[in-house]
Amino acid sequence: MIFRLDERLLFPEPDLAEPDGLLAVGGDLSTQRLLLAYQNGIFPWYSDDSPILWYSPHERFVLYPQELKISKSMKQVLRSGKFTVTADTCFNEVIKACSTAPREGQDGTWITDEMIAAYNKLHTEGYAHSVEVWEDQELVGGFYGVQIGQVFCGESMFSRVSNASKTALIHFCQSKQFELIDCQIHTKHLESMGARMISREQYMAALQSGLSR
């Protein structure tokens, strides 16, 4: 059963989601609703030609920073010093770069203009963050996401040159700011770096633990 949201600030129980994770439709992308969603393991994912769709997968693809895997070739890239990494210096540029990055098996993007505006507001209010990778003062990679306590909910990443997004993720993990990074959707790229599936119950326990600190 898929629930239809109205103006009330509430969501159905996440474990009522469909097998594909779809939980609800409608509502809005206000800061209050987005934060409530993330606090309950829910995130929006939709395209321009559909209403707002809210998902809560029965399994979560996550990365524990202490389980990060760095290949020998990647260690050489990091030692080379070819990249500079910053945080929260150009959030809007990062999210727009993510919105136009080509995705295997996808013709368009779920990062609509409405999403860009909503997450820029989250960033302005201190809830959303970006990591940027630079080469010769040019933005070549990075990612953005939402902070919920000690959990970072990664939304999207981009890479214009080889190893740029990997560099962003490695620096982020090594900063030891978060106990868990929610990658949401499985990719071979992230799996090779140590990300793995956990149950919704495990994810919600980590989320609640992080919120209580």
Side-chain angles (χ1 to χ4, degrees):
M1 179 178 180
I2 300 172
F3 296 84
R4 180 166 295 277
L5 304 182
D6 54 29
E7 70 279 357
R8 292 174 296 175
L9 196 60
L10 54 81
F11 284 96
E13 289 296 322
D15 58 7
L16 296 175
E18 295 290 298
D20 64 356
L22 181 58
L23 176 66
V25 59
D28 54 51
L29 296 180
S30 66
T31 295
Q32 294 80 7
R33 190 182 296 274
L34 282 169
L35 290 178
L36 179 63
Y38 282 103
Q39 289 164 3
N40 286 277
I42 303 166
F43 58 86
W45 190 27
Y46 68 105
S47 57
D48 266 328
D49 58 356
S50 78
I52 301 174
L53 303 177
W54 301 90
Y55 284 82
S56 179
H58 295 276
E59 289 186 309
R60 304 298 284 236
F61 191 56
V62 305
L63 176 61
Y64 292 90
Q66 69 271 21
E67 296 180 4
L68 177 70
K69 298 177 182 178
I70 307 175
S71 66
K72 289 183 179 179
S73 60
M74 195 62 216
K75 289 178 180 178
Q76 291 177 337
V77 171
L78 296 172
R79 285 196 296 266
S80 73
K82 66 178 294 186
F83 295 127
T84 300
V85 181
T86 58
D88 289 333
T89 63
C90 55
F91 183 91
N92 188 53
E93 286 84 348
V94 169
I95 192 172
K96 285 188 174 181
C98 289
S99 74
T100 58
R103 311 285 176 186
E104 185 176 351
Q106 295 182 17
D107 295 328
T109 179
W110 71 93
I111 308 174
T112 64
D113 289 344
E114 185 180 27
M115 293 271 276
I116 290 173
Y119 283 79
N120 265 299
K121 186 175 181 183
L122 277 178
H123 171 65
T124 300
E125 297 184 16
Y127 300 109
H129 302 283
S130 63
V131 176
E132 307 89 26
V133 178
W134 308 83
E135 184 177 21
D136 298 328
Q137 299 184 326
E138 179 183 353
L139 182 64
V140 295
F143 62 86
Y144 75 97
V146 179
Q147 177 180 352
I148 301 295
Q150 295 298 306
V151 173
F152 185 81
C153 304
E155 282 296 310
S156 185
M157 58 172 48
F158 78 100
S159 189
R160 291 172 176 160
V161 300
S162 296
N163 300 313
S165 61
K166 287 183 179 180
T167 297
L169 185 59
I170 291 168
H171 276 258
F172 189 70
C173 287
Q174 292 178 337
S175 71
K176 300 180 180 179
Q177 298 179 66
F178 298 94
E179 295 181 358
L180 182 68
I181 299 171
D182 177 13
C183 307
Q184 297 180 349
I185 306 301
H186 174 272
T187 68
K188 293 180 180 179
H189 165 70
L190 291 173
E191 184 178 22
S192 71
M193 298 184 72
R196 58 185 171 91
M197 288 290 188
I198 63 173
S199 68
R200 175 192 277 116
E201 290 74 21
Q202 289 174 295
Y203 178 75
M204 291 305 296
L207 198 58
Q208 294 306 315
S209 174
L211 281 169
S212 65
R213 300 188 180 187

